[in-house]
Each structure stands twice: as C-alpha cells, then as structure tokens.
C-alpha cells in the first residue's frame, strides 16, 4: 500500500482536531502538530530543540528552516514510513516550499492537502459560544451544549466564563492572520492538484465520511 502523506488545513474552530483523531485511527498515521513537536523537541533537549529554544526564550519566531528540520526529524522516523498527518505546518508559502524540497530529497511527496473549510461567521459562532467553568475547566456551548442553568456548571456548580481567546474580537484577529497566511497556501496546493476541499459546516461524521471517500478514490487512481 502506498504512503499517505497528508496536510490538514482549516481555520480555528473548523473541527480539524476531530478529523485528525479519526484519520489517525482510520489509517494508523502519526499526527504531527507543529506546536506539539516544537515543545517536545525543546523538552527532550534535542540539538534542534535547543536551537529552537533560544528563539522561543527571546520571544522570537522560530525560523521556517528550523521548524521544517524539526518536522522532518519526525517524518524520518520509522513510525512515519507509511505516511503522516501534518497540522499547523506548512503555515505559509515559504514553509510549503521548504517542505516540498525536503520531501523530494527523500523521494517522497504529499498525497493530498485536506482543507476543512468553514465561513468566518460560523467560526465566530462556534468559538464565541464556548463557556468554561472556573473550577475544573468543564466546557459548554451556549447553543450546541448549554448547561441546565445559564452561567452555572452542571458538574460542580461553579461559574461559567467566556475566555478572552473565545471573544469575537480575538477570533476576528485570529481569522485575519489565518486568511493572510492560508489563502496563498490554498492557491499553491490547488495549482499542484493536491488540494481537496471539505465543507466543515456539515456534521463531523459527514466530513469524516467525505474525507475517507476522497482518500480511497486517490488510492484507486494511483493504482490504475
């Protein structure tokens, strides 16, 4: 069976985490989220991790080349020889170019880039509706999963709050950054015939079924 080398794209609140969990389970793929990998490399004190830590300690962005090296260090492990799922990388055109060249050097390439697409209004609706209890962090949603009594946690009776990250003005800023970085990436992968779009406004199960069907079709086409 051929490799399944995937990149997951989508705005915050699109449900990428849910789809990632299901893809990892379906295809036994290692899941590489950029932030997690960088933190792990720093924690483990690897050579690249120590290099990244210098930038992070000074509050600077870790250079694209270094991020790619940290990612490729994981992709070179035996666990990723049949494929991988990348989330949060590439984040811009420069990273996409670096990734493409790094894979080419290894005789590998991406199978597909999966874009879980959701409108800005829907993202704001999903994220701004979240409420978290101050005591134990139980999560609710005012529309999709409300507590029995408004503003009160069902499980421990503590007050429910809206985190600063979940306020509409913060979400709008995050979306501005996402669009500035990701719109060029969408065009980049569309031109290479790698982009596959999925309607993230549908239920998680429908999105999952669509992704599975798409990947099955890609594999069939590869065998013909």
């Amino acid at each position: 069976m051929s490799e399944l080398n995937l990149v997951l794209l989508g705005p915050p609140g699109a449900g990428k985490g849910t789809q990632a969990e299901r893809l990892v389970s379906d295809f036994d793929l290692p899941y590489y989220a950029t932030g997690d990998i960088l933190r792990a490399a720093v924690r483990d004190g690897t050579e690249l991790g120590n290099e990244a830590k210098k930038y992070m300690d000074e509050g600077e962005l870790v250079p694209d080349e270094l991020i790619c090296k940290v990612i490729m260090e994981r992709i070179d492990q035996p666990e990723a020889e049949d494929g991988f799922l990348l989330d949060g990388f590439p984040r811009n055109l420069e990273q996409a170019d670096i990734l493409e060249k790094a894979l080419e050097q290894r005789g590998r390439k991406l199978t597909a880039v999966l874009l879980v697409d959701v409108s800005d209004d829907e993202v704001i609706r999903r994220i701004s509706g979240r409420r978290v209890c101050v005591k134990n962090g139980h999560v609710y949603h005012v529309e999709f999963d409300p507590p029995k009594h408004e503003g009160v946690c069902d499980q421990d009776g503590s007050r429910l709050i809206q985190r600063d990250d979940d306020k509409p003005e913060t979400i709008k800023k995050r979306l501005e950054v996402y669009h500035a970085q990701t719109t060029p990436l969408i065009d980049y992968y569309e031109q290479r015939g790698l982009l596959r779009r999925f309607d993230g406004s549908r239920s998680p199960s429908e999105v999952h079924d669509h992704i599975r069907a798409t990947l099955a079709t890609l594999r069939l086409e590869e065998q013909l």
Side-chain angles (χ1 to χ4, degrees):
M1 196 175 280
S2 60
E3 292 176 33
L4 204 53
N5 302 329
L6 305 171
V7 167
L8 200 52
L9 289 181
K16 286 186 302 168
T18 302
Q19 297 309 322
E21 279 178 23
R22 295 185 181 195
L23 286 168
V24 165
S25 173
D26 287 344
F27 300 104
D28 195 24
L29 294 173
Y31 171 64
Y32 300 138
T34 313
D36 295 344
I37 286 180
L38 273 175
R39 283 188 290 273
V42 169
R43 186 186 63 237
D44 297 343
T46 68
E47 189 181 332
L48 292 173
N50 289 335
E51 206 179 324
K53 187 174 186 294
K54 289 175 193 168
Y55 291 96
M56 292 157 86
D57 286 348
E58 289 171 19
E60 293 181 26
L61 289 173
V62 179
D64 291 336
E65 287 276 3
L66 183 52
I67 292 174
C68 191
K69 282 180 184 173
V70 174
I71 300 270
M72 294 315 295
E73 196 172 49
R74 299 294 288 272
I75 287 174
D76 287 338
Q77 300 300 312
E79 67 178 13
E81 64 184 8
D82 293 329
F84 53 81
L85 179 60
L86 286 177
D87 184 3
F89 185 88
R91 202 178 285 275
N92 56 45
L93 286 177
E94 191 174 344
Q95 289 182 357
D97 276 332
I98 294 168
L99 175 64
E100 186 175 54
K101 285 171 187 152
L103 287 172
E104 274 176 7
Q105 286 167 4
R106 291 157 172 80
R108 303 178 74 171
K109 60 182 181 178
L110 290 178
T111 308
V113 174
L114 314 174
L115 172 63
V116 183
D117 215 0
V118 179
S119 71
D120 286 6
D121 287 346
E122 178 65 13
V123 166
I124 292 165
R125 178 176 164 228
R126 288 181 182 185
I127 299 179
S128 66
R130 283 183 196 153
R131 298 293 182 271
V132 182
C133 84
V134 293
K135 192 171 179 184
N136 292 303
H138 298 123
V139 181
Y140 297 84
H141 194 283
V142 294
E143 192 177 338
F144 309 128
D145 183 24
K148 288 174 187 155
H149 303 286
E150 189 178 340
V152 181
C153 177
D154 294 346
Q155 298 185 57
D156 57 36
S158 69
R159 189 167 50 93
L160 297 180
I161 59 163
Q162 183 184 44
R163 294 179 303 195
D164 287 342
D165 277 358
D166 296 341
K167 289 180 176 170
E169 55 272 24
T170 309
I171 304 163
K172 283 174 185 169
K173 284 178 187 165
R174 287 170 68 195
L175 283 167
E176 282 171 20
V177 173
Y178 167 76
H179 288 306
Q181 293 179 337
T182 308
T183 301
L185 270 184
I186 291 169
D187 296 340
Y188 176 96
Y189 284 121
E190 201 142 42
Q191 285 166 15
R192 282 159 173 72
L194 289 169
L195 193 79
R196 300 292 181 275
R197 291 174 184 266
F198 304 93
D199 181 358
S201 66
R202 303 179 76 126
S203 74
S205 293
E206 286 177 300
V207 176
H208 172 236
D209 289 345
H210 188 188
I211 292 175
R212 277 195 63 136
T214 300
L215 293 177
T217 303
L218 282 173
R219 286 193 148 168
L220 276 174
E221 287 170 356
E222 202 176 51
Q223 289 163 14
L224 293 174

